[in-house]
């Protein structure tokens, strides 16, 4: 939500140097995502190399990263919460954010799903003063362990506290930690989701695609985006994934293989999409078209 105001708000690495948002969000989470807006010198060089390869139409409205994204992040926050003064926000806002949703049976929460956003802060007192001064559209919030955690209602924050007491923080969950450990280094953004837990949430499973029967999907997925100066790589990995009793664990047998295969493509390639072992899983996919028309 805070990130939507500017392109550069997504130009960041998820290797948090300080507290991590998963330290204040519950291990019962069905899905989690995070960004970190801190950029060191080496990372800035990589970003500049990549930006130089983009068309002028994309770069003409973009500023150059200077290694400190505080102003950009504060600007985004002020756009979401107009009552907050950007100059004041810059004094306390950190450069990391995470969000999670989890199942709940709390009678105080509307529906079976709750969620919260954890925004890193450098000065807890100033952050609390900013939130306390907002009168209209102020979210329910609390400041804890280097983050301001906010949600739609006090009931959701109360449920978050109960989830933390019962399950502990997400960062201590062994399954989550193992899945996230396989993310490519230097990722711009990261996401983790438990498929079985998500389809059990009525509010989630019934959106857009119609009801999904619980038990038909199991396993977890991670997604990441990274840049190395020459290309932007979006990647998704699956773990123990099954759909309607069909074992799709082969999706995780050779992580990154399809990306590595792109190394032989011409230098003037603009976009490429790959899937590992696709010819084996879907016979005929790699066959040449039989028509004389364009490919």
């Amino acid at each position: 939500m805070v990130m939507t105001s500017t392109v550069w708000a997504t130009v960041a690495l998820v290797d948090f140097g300080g507290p991590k948002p998963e330290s204040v969000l519950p291990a019962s989470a069905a899905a989690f995502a995070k960004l970190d807006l801190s950029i060191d010198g080496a990372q800035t060089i990589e970003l500049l190399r990549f930006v130089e390869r983009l068309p002028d139409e994309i770069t003409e409205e973009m500023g150059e990263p200077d290694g400190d994204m505080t102003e950009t992040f504060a600007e985004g926050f002020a756009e979401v919460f107009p009552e907050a003064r950007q100059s004041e926000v810059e004094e306390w806002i950190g450069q990391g954010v995470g969000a999670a949703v989890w199942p709940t049976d709390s009678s105080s929460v509307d529906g079976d799903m709750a969620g919260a956003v954890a925004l890193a802060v450098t000065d807890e007192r100033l952050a609390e003063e900013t939130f306390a001064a907002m009168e209209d559209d102020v979210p329910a919030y609390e400041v804890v362990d280097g983050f301001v955690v906010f949600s739609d209602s006090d009931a959701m924050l109360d449920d978050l506290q109960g989830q933390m007491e019962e399950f502990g923080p997400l960062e201590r969950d062994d399954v989550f930690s193992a899945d996230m450990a396989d993310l490519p280094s230097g990722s711009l953004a990261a996401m983790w989701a438990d498929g079985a837990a998500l389809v059990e949430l009525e509010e989630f499973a019934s959106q857009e695609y119609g009801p999904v029967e619980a038990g038909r999907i199991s396993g977890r997925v991670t997604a990441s985006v990274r840049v190395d100066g020459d290309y932007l790589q979006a990647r998704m990995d699956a773990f123990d994934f099954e759909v309607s009793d069909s074992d799709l664990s082969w999706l995780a047998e050779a992580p990154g293989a399809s990306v590595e295969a792109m190394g032989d493509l011409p230098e003037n390639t603009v976009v490429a999409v790959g899937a590992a072992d696709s010819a084996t899983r879907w016979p005929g996919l790699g066959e040449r078209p039989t028509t004389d028309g364009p490919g």
Side-chain angles (χ1 to χ4, degrees):
M1 173 174 61
V2 180
M3 301 307 113
T4 57
S5 65
T6 174
V7 173
W8 282 121
T10 61
V11 179
L13 297 184
V14 298
D15 184 15
F16 279 64
K20 301 179 180 181
E22 53 263 50
S23 67
V24 294
L25 296 171
S28 55
F32 168 80
K34 69 177 179 178
L35 295 171
D36 183 0
L37 301 190
S38 60
I39 303 176
D40 64 23
Q43 295 160 7
T44 301
I45 293 174
E46 291 295 307
L47 293 171
L48 290 175
R49 287 179 54 201
F50 177 74
V51 170
E52 289 176 353
R53 299 171 63 91
L54 297 176
D56 293 340
E57 292 80 2
I58 296 178
T59 60
E60 60 185 8
E61 296 185 2
M62 296 168 59
E64 292 187 0
D66 58 6
D68 184 1
M69 306 302 293
T70 300
E71 181 179 353
T72 298
F73 208 14
E75 180 183 358
F77 184 90
E79 289 186 7
V80 175
F81 302 108
E83 282 192 275
R85 298 181 60 180
Q86 181 178 333
S87 59
E88 294 179 355
V89 175
E90 290 179 11
E91 296 180 3
W92 57 260
I93 199 166
Q95 299 187 52
V97 64
V101 295
W102 61 88
T104 179
D105 57 4
S106 172
S107 59
S108 300
V109 175
D110 185 15
D112 64 348
M113 181 176 69
V117 176
L119 176 64
V121 301
T122 58
D123 190 312
E124 293 185 358
R125 179 184 62 82
L126 292 179
E128 191 156 13
E129 289 179 358
T130 296
F131 275 81
M134 294 190 297
E135 297 179 357
D136 299 328
D137 300 325
V138 59
Y141 73 94
E142 62 178 348
V143 179
V144 54
D145 297 334
F147 288 90
V148 56
V149 181
F150 54 95
S151 188
D152 287 344
S153 65
D154 289 326
M156 284 196 182
L157 285 186
D158 291 341
D159 190 68
L160 169 61
Q161 181 63 34
Q163 298 284 329
M164 292 288 287
E165 292 175 356
E166 181 176 358
F167 299 101
L170 184 58
E171 68 174 359
R172 296 182 186 174
D173 184 80
D174 292 339
V175 173
F176 169 82
S177 298
D179 292 347
M180 295 292 280
D182 287 334
L183 289 178
S185 61
S187 296
L188 307 179
M191 181 278 291
W192 175 89
D194 184 327
L198 283 176
V199 299
E200 290 180 356
L201 299 175
E202 181 180 351
E203 294 181 40
F204 178 88
S206 62
Q207 292 179 3
E208 296 188 24
Y209 304 106
V212 178
E213 182 180 347
R216 296 190 63 186
I217 297 178
S218 63
R220 293 101 49 211
V221 295
T222 61
S224 60
V225 178
R226 64 181 293 268
V227 63
D228 74 347
D230 292 325
Y231 60 87
L232 185 71
Q233 172 189 324
R235 167 175 163 175
M236 177 177 286
D237 292 319
F239 303 88
D240 303 324
F241 208 76
E242 293 186 8
V243 178
S244 300
D245 300 323
S246 297
D247 183 6
L248 301 180
S249 59
W250 55 269
L251 287 170
E253 290 178 358
S258 58
V259 175
E260 295 173 3
M262 294 182 187
D264 295 330
L265 293 174
E267 292 185 0
N268 61 350
T269 298
V270 177
V271 176
V273 178
D277 204 17
S278 56
T280 300
R281 303 299 171 178
W282 295 287
L285 183 63
E287 295 178 1
R288 294 182 179 274
T290 56
T291 65
D292 294 330

